[in-house]
Amino acid sequence: MTSTTLPKRVVSNQEQSWVDSVYNALTPEQRLGQLFMVAAYSNRDASHSRYIERLISQYNIGGLMFMYGGPKRQAILTNQYQSKATVPLFIAMDAEWGLDMRLDSSMHFAKQMTLGALDDPKYVYLMGREIALKMKRLGVHISFSPVLDVNSNPNNPVIGNRSFGESKEHVSDYGISYIKGLQENGIIAVAKHFPGHGDTDKDSHKSLPIIRSDIKRLQEVDLYPFKQSFDAGVMGVMVAHLHLPVFDTVANKAATLSHNLVTGLLKEKMQYQGLVFTDALNMRSVTKYYKPGEVDALALSAGNDVLLFSEDVPTAIAKIKEAVASGKIKQEEIDYKVRKILHAKYWAGLNKYKPVELKNLTTEIDRPSSNVVQQQLYEHAVTLVKNKGDFLPFRNLDTLNFASVTIGAGKNNVFTQTLEKYAPFTKYTLVKQAEDSTYNRLYNKLQQNNVVVVSIHRLNNTPANNYGITQRTRAFIQRLQANPKQKVVLAVLGNAYTLQYFEKSDWLLCGYEDTEAAQTVIPQILFGAIGANGKLPVSASPNLTAGSGLKTQPINRLRFANPESVGMDSQILNQIDNVAREAIAYGATPGCQVVVAKDGAVIFEKAYGYTTYDDKAKLVTNSSIYDIASVTKVASTLQAIMFLKDQGKLNLDAKASVYLPELQGTNKQNLIIRDILAHQAGLQSGVAFWQRSFNAPQNRGLYYATTQSENFPNEVVPGMYTAKNMEDVMWKWIIESPLLPKPKGAPHYEFKYSDLSFYILRRVAEKLLNQSIDEFMEHNFYASLGANSLLYNPLKRFQKEQIVPTENDTHFRKTLVWGNVHDQGAAMMGGVAGHAGLFSTALDLAKLMQMNLQNGEYGGLRYFRANVVPEFATRHNKETRRGLGWDMPDPAGKGATSTMAPLSTFGHTGFTGTCAWVDPENKLVYIFLSNRINPTAENNKLVTNSIRTRIHDIIYKSIQPKFYYTDRQ
């Protein structure tokens, strides 16, 4: 895409020879047949197919315009029809916004109003390219696109969102990009609707619109994009069914039938030499005044080359013969048209026709790269129209109390689901025709929220009925906006002209269409995962003019994208499904969640299986909350320790006893913070807390009660509570625990993974913070990250059913552990500990890990200075795989990561069957959560079958080689 024009066609000797041979082999009547393109359907019965075959066999029609049906059915019929043709058929489609304009189960890219909002026409080219490749694979040669009408009349009932906008230059530039995307990839583009359908107030499908513009206006505005496209090399143009008195004074004569317009203006004055198509000859704007067959002859006489959607080919051929005999049409003109069609067929490759290969058809049409382009279109088109005080994107999430109101969308809409990926929302859904009483009740409920996101869905494109927006809806939104204590953010997922009803909004976005892509992109813009880029292509009101649109910059929150957009292969990545299902089938875990993020984008987020093996168990969803066990060490305590180091309040080379005086005079008085973090401080792996406190009958009554009280406040599980001094008792036992023997002459103890390290580090952190670890992390990390499910004691915030059970404990708690922490030591302390106790969804844990990957920055906030995380995520010494607090890959390949993970990768695993790994080289985050210990902690199949590491392997295999980095030999 290096210039604004396509190269001029040079006719080779081979092409000329093929055209001559085909032309000479045809009878005069067969040549006439080449001028016709008939409508075909792949969703009709056998009688329709026989009708099409008869037209091909008996009249040698030149092409088919496929209408409604499905891709596979159309491909089968294409092969069937081509097999009957003497000359290979042109296959054409209306695919302005993708194959789904006509075919079911096909991708919708974007309508041209959406494209007109793009900040760069290169994305229009990319869309044109993707559509072209799909068409080629389906055996299609012609696309009746783009629309080059300048949208100068907001009340236009038929063009509207099919136009690039109201600026002739804008329409030209974006239209040419579309044309090049098609033609540079083998599809003939047909610009429409000549001489311009933008300034009409009637639908030409139903009646004949009249354009009363003068010559000056036509030349300066409507004809401009067509002239630019002709200079750029567009191979086809479609003439509209419009009446222009300035060119033809005959009443009710459509432009399609006007010699003055088709031949005089288009071919002679504008010197267009490409294929000229009629608009569909079955439309009421021409059939109301002329009979089938008759209208075909008139269209040919006017100068058109291809007669589209002819309703009566036999009669039309007879009428054309009569016109030739009477001198109304010259035979040499017909001959020239036929040759022109044959030259175009050669360009399209029909000189070497091959049937459509049906094998892998659907897979190859549904190219993953198309998903990337589709996402890019909306990312660069969605327009931020109003942003008072630069409130958007949302920052400081811990200060905002969100509600969402979706009008016209179902309860499980993608828009609301995407909002909830960033912060908790109180959700409300309304039908479009909601009554005043419903709006009044909702208004009262919303008073508790300081931010309300309102989205309007399922709009139409009919100006006459206000695009489907009711007066009640408008009044409700205005009432909400009148509350000075509330910020109302309005997203309109429909035609840009609807913004006229909301121009007084302080925070206003236009999504142009109610597609899944638009519903995914707008929330990401609201939360700063991506920036706002679009500009209004039309003027919605005097205050909201074309070109309006505010840009915002991303603030480094996780976005959601397709794997191919970050250099990964979605087909390989989907092999994760097989490993997860294997784990479930072989009893390694009842279910699990997997999240993969690369380059700041979540490209894989799936849930598998059930919460337990019980027949009545619930399906695991992406919002199911798991006990993440020892991942707590790095997701809670280590974050606090890094924070304190960053603040200059903690010296890693100091003794722990400096901060914890009770350690002085004990065997732990000389333990160094750095060694404790690296599990090289000589600490035992743990203390048998629950056995020591529970197994001896005399201790059981001292430390446990069956009812909660002031003296027994800590819930282990419902019906089991520990004494309020339990934590102090456990701390005493830790202090009294023996150290491991230190190798003679060694500078450090040997590595020994120890929970006790993080009991101590939590104590240090809380002492320096003067705050409990759970409160500190919630107020300083989790809430502002939007990690609502990342917390201790989840039953304080969530329903039990949303939490995944862990072990059916038959030794200590004598019950299914559900909503309480599984780790016995953490449970005895009331659920809050330094080594265990956190719960989370995979996505919320990924947010924290992404912040660490981004060296302490996320969502526009800085949690650490840039050098803190890398310092802690550096190997403590060559003899260990540990950083400071973080686990890392084993150079010998025996660790918990993929052997393809760079040695700089850091993270942790958890006893319940969890892991979180961060790869700073490939900018990768991998989260796996499961409850492999249900029903018993003795189940070790997750480890023996290497489920977590095999998934990690697949993630690395999915990275395209040019994007993959490793520091391993």
Side-chain angles (χ1 to χ4, degrees), residues 545-782:
T545 56
S548 299
L550 303 169
K551 279 191 172 289
T552 60
Q553 295 301 315
I555 56 173
N556 289 335
R557 282 199 180 102
L558 281 170
R559 66 189 194 278
F560 293 83
N562 299 288
E564 280 71 16
S565 69
V566 293
M568 299 177 79
D569 188 320
S570 56
Q571 291 184 323
I572 294 175
L573 205 57
N574 284 335
Q575 292 173 16
I576 291 173
D577 294 352
N578 299 331
V579 179
R581 288 168 185 152
E582 174 196 320
I584 294 162
Y586 286 92
T589 181
C592 60
Q593 290 174 346
V594 180
V595 162
V596 181
K598 189 176 189 307
D599 298 340
V602 175
I603 47 84
F604 191 95
E605 182 190 16
K606 284 190 180 181
Y608 303 87
Y610 294 83
T611 56
T612 70
Y613 292 107
D614 187 89
D615 291 340
K616 298 180 180 179
K618 293 181 63 176
L619 281 168
V620 175
T621 70
N622 289 326
S623 60
S624 299
I625 298 169
Y626 279 89
D627 179 339
I628 64 173
S630 282
V631 177
T632 301
K633 292 181 173 71
V634 297
S636 177
T637 308
L638 185 61
Q639 303 296 308
I641 293 293
M642 289 193 292
F643 175 87
L644 290 165
K645 167 66 168 62
D646 191 40
Q647 296 292 313
K649 295 179 179 180
L650 177 67
N651 180 356
L652 299 184
D653 295 309
K655 296 176 180 178
S657 59
V658 170
Y659 307 106
L660 301 174
E662 63 267 35
L663 296 182
Q664 293 176 10
T666 74
N667 63 353
K668 298 175 180 62
Q669 68 177 354
N670 294 321
L671 301 189
I672 305 299
I673 297 291
R674 189 181 297 275
D675 291 339
I676 295 171
L677 283 163
H679 297 279
Q680 287 190 280
L683 293 166
Q684 300 281 347
S685 60
V687 172
F689 295 117
W690 79 265
Q691 295 93 333
R692 187 168 176 177
S693 63
F694 186 78
N695 285 348
Q698 66 272 21
N699 288 344
R700 194 175 303 175
L702 188 63
Y703 298 126
Y704 296 93
T706 57
T707 57
Q708 196 169 28
S709 65
E710 183 179 349
N711 291 326
F712 291 88
N714 307 312
E715 182 177 278
V716 178
V717 289
M720 186 178 190
Y721 305 89
T722 60
K724 64 181 179 181
N725 69 335
M726 188 77 256
E727 186 173 341
D728 293 335
V729 172
M730 294 169 68
W731 180 236
K732 179 176 177 289
W733 293 346
I734 290 172
I735 293 173
E736 294 172 348
S737 65
L739 294 178
L740 299 170
K742 188 176 183 179
K744 191 173 181 179
H748 303 281
Y749 284 92
E750 290 183 346
F751 168 78
K752 179 70 172 180
Y753 179 74
S754 173
D755 280 349
L756 301 186
S757 296
F758 280 81
Y759 278 91
I760 295 170
L761 291 168
R762 176 210 168 188
R763 282 273 186 167
V764 171
E766 291 185 338
K767 183 73 174 287
L768 294 175
L769 293 167
N770 195 30
Q771 190 176 16
S772 67
I773 193 76
D774 56 332
E775 290 180 358
F776 172 77
M777 290 304 299
E778 173 64 23
H779 296 153
N780 292 276
F781 285 81
Y782 307 150

Side-chain angles (χ1 to χ4, degrees), residues 64 66 70-83 88-93 99 103 133-141 187 348-350 352-365:
L64 299 173
F66 266 102
K72 185 75 173 284
R73 288 167 284 161
Q74 179 171 312
I76 292 169
L77 285 174
T78 296
N79 289 345
Q80 180 179 324
Y81 295 148
Q82 290 283 22
S83 71
L89 297 161
F90 256 149
I91 305 297
M93 286 184 70
L99 299 184
L103 301 181
L133 294 173
K134 291 175 188 293
M135 289 182 138
K136 288 277 285 185
R137 184 63 184 86
L138 195 55
V140 179
H141 316 102
I187 296 295
L350 285 170
K352 297 179 179 178
Y353 165 74
K354 291 182 180 179
V356 179
E357 175 58 63
L358 300 180
K359 186 179 179 181
N360 299 324
L361 178 69
T362 302
T363 302
E364 292 172 12
I365 287 177

Side-chain angles (χ1 to χ4, degrees), residues 128-165:
R129 178 179 182 272
E130 287 299 317
I131 292 173
L133 294 173
K134 291 175 188 293
M135 289 182 138
K136 288 277 285 185
R137 184 63 184 86
L138 195 55
V140 179
H141 316 102
I142 299 170
S143 179
F144 293 125
S145 59
V147 172
L148 293 186
D149 303 321
V150 179
N151 200 5
S152 53
N153 186 346
N155 294 318
N156 193 320
V158 65
I159 300 303
N161 63 357
R162 296 170 66 198
S163 166
F164 288 113

Side-chain angles (χ1 to χ4, degrees), residues 82-102:
Q82 290 283 22
S83 71
K84 307 294 182 183
T86 302
V87 180
L89 297 161
F90 256 149
I91 305 297
M93 286 184 70
D94 262 325
E96 294 169 23
W97 51 82
L99 299 184
D100 91 313
M101 186 172 177
R102 292 291 179 253

Side-chain angles (χ1 to χ4, degrees), residues 301-342:
S301 178
N304 294 282
D305 300 321
V306 181
L307 306 173
L308 185 63
F309 218 130
S310 176
E311 291 192 292
D312 190 343
V313 173
T315 301
I317 289 176
K319 292 290 184 182
I320 292 168
K321 287 180 178 178
E322 290 175 11
V324 172
S326 65
K328 292 179 181 178
I329 301 177
K330 295 179 180 179
Q331 182 62 48
E332 53 266 33
E333 290 178 1
I334 291 176
D335 296 343
Y336 176 74
K337 293 176 190 295
V338 174
R339 285 182 173 276
K340 190 195 291 192
I341 290 167
L342 292 175

